[in-house]
Amino acid sequence: EKVEITKEQRALIKAILDAYNRHQIPQDVTKKLLQEQYSAEENFLLLTEVATSQVQVLVEFTKNIPGFLSLDREDQIALLKGSAVEAMFLRSAQVLSKKMPSGYTEVLEERIRKSGMSEEFITPMFNFYKSIGELHMTQEEQALLTTITILTPDRPYVKSHEAVERLQETMLDVLRKLCVLQHPQEPQYFARLLGRLTELRTLHHYHVEMLTSWKTNDHKFTPLLCEIWDVQ
Ligand SMILES: CC(C)c1onc(-c2c(Cl)cccc2Cl)c1COc1ccc2cc(-c3cccc(C(=O)O)c3)sc2c1
């Protein structure tokens, strides 16, 4: 049947894409990825700095998701804590899948591979990055997929499950239509995008173990990361 994006849905896409592009990690933070020397310690420190900055960007972006600030305040926190790792996998995936002509791709890959995390996490992580790269997502799809990840109702401690589910369904409906319109030659494209969300859950579980292994090797995180990831 004829898929049509309504006026309201077009406004929603615009609001989310504007917020997504407006909130970025400052250049002085990401530029250090290109400059500093390479060592496991230095790589870990730089990644910690960028991740901390990314969380701050994520908080600002989330506040601009239409409807998010109308949710229960504690649920807003629960959604942010529960989705931060997955949103950061999506963000770093865009950088690593050469989606951004930023010149960070090689240096970021090198620093992640040599940041003291054990091999067992490297493989699934870079398989994910490869699978994201193969999707050739548009900017709108990236922004909407991040929004849908944030609005996942079954995060720990979320009380108003239905309110979050309603918001997420609104975004899923828009993304489904966008996929049909922007990838007409690939009817399964929307399903493939949702498959990435499942992969993100798996990576999230790996990440909890990654943090533990870094902790046992006495790696320090910033207060913001400790708060959002419940470490220390
Ligand atoms: C605390 C730290 C050691 C850590 O622990 N787990 C992870 C992690 C790792 Cl490894 C992989 C995936 C997810 C997580 Cl959460 C990390 C590092 O997480 C990040 C988070 C965001 C970004 C954005 C970047 C980036 C670069 C250039 C340009 C841009 C840009 O947006 O322009 C963004 S790099 C980067 C690194």
Side-chain angles (χ1 to χ4, degrees), residues 40-160:
E41 293 71 30
E42 187 57 40
N43 293 342
F44 178 82
L45 275 176
L46 284 174
L47 289 172
T48 300
E49 199 177 328
V50 184
T52 303
S53 180
Q54 184 72 53
V55 170
Q56 291 158 340
V57 164
L58 190 67
V59 170
E60 289 314 307
F61 167 66
T62 307
K63 284 155 66 174
N64 289 279
I65 296 173
F68 184 82
L69 292 178
S70 324
L71 293 171
D72 172 281
R73 179 85 42 200
E74 284 169 5
D75 283 355
Q76 293 175 27
I77 307 287
L79 292 177
L80 268 167
K81 280 170 69 103
S83 66
V85 169
E86 294 174 28
M88 295 209 273
F89 265 103
L90 283 174
R91 188 69 200 170
S92 51
Q94 274 129 42
V95 178
L96 285 163
S97 59
K98 304 174 184 50
K99 281 288 137 276
M100 300 154 75
S102 54
Y104 289 108
T105 308
E106 292 72 23
V107 294
L108 182 59
E109 169 151 0
E110 176 67 16
R111 293 195 187 276
I112 291 179
R113 287 187 183 279
K114 301 222 173 32
S115 60
M117 73 173 78
S118 62
E119 271 310 305
E120 67 183 292
F121 306 128
I122 299 276
T123 310
M125 183 186 287
F126 282 89
N127 287 342
F128 173 75
Y129 288 142
K130 186 167 171 292
S131 68
I132 288 282
E134 287 160 357
L135 283 172
H136 305 297
M137 280 195 272
T138 64
Q139 274 269 11
E140 291 92 348
E141 288 158 1
Q142 289 171 21
L144 276 166
L145 200 63
T146 301
T147 302
I148 288 161
T149 303
I150 294 164
L151 297 173
T152 298
D154 58 341
R155 298 293 185 196
Y157 315 112
V158 170
K159 298 172 295 185
S160 321

